[in-house]
Amino acid sequence: MDSDVMSNGDDAAVGGIAADRLRSIIERVERLEEERKALAGDIKDIFSEAKSAGFDVKVIRQIIRIRKQEPAEVEEQETLLDIYRRALGM
């Protein structure tokens, strides 16, 4: 048998790579990508529901983004926004 190709049942190695382990990793990533796709579809449905109920989806997305930030960061951004608005006479 070639030294680069080893076979020991469940953990066949090719070129020093454990094929079963590699396959397992790839399949796990593929499953998670499918789950992510399904979740993205669910999120899209929720935004459609919000729009149908009369909510502004763009504003909802902005609120979600803000809620992920640290309170001090949000406060700083709001302060700068206020300063810039006043500077522009808004």
Side-chain angles (χ1 to χ4, degrees):
M1 181 176 272
D2 187 359
S3 63
D4 287 344
V5 179
M6 294 176 241
S7 179
N8 61 358
D10 291 341
D11 199 22
V14 178
I17 297 173
D20 288 344
R21 178 78 171 138
L22 177 60
R23 185 176 297 106
S24 170
I25 289 169
I26 291 170
E27 289 171 353
R28 287 170 35 213
V29 170
E30 289 171 340
R31 277 193 303 276
L32 290 173
E33 286 177 345
E34 285 299 317
E35 288 177 28
R36 178 172 46 190
K37 206 159 91 174
L39 288 172
D42 292 346
I43 291 169
K44 184 179 177 182
D45 292 344
I46 293 169
F47 281 122
S48 293
E49 177 185 336
K51 186 174 181 177
S52 295
F55 294 106
D56 186 322
V57 172
K58 186 175 178 181
V59 174
I60 291 174
R61 289 183 189 278
Q62 188 175 4
I63 290 171
I64 291 169
R65 184 178 44 81
I66 290 168
R67 287 170 52 115
K68 291 178 184 178
Q69 296 174 342
E70 293 294 322
E73 185 180 348
V74 173
E75 185 177 342
E76 180 182 348
Q77 288 178 0
E78 288 176 352
T79 300
L80 284 172
L81 182 60
D82 185 50
I83 291 169
Y84 291 179
R85 282 182 175 160
R86 282 189 279 140
L88 296 171
M90 297 175 70

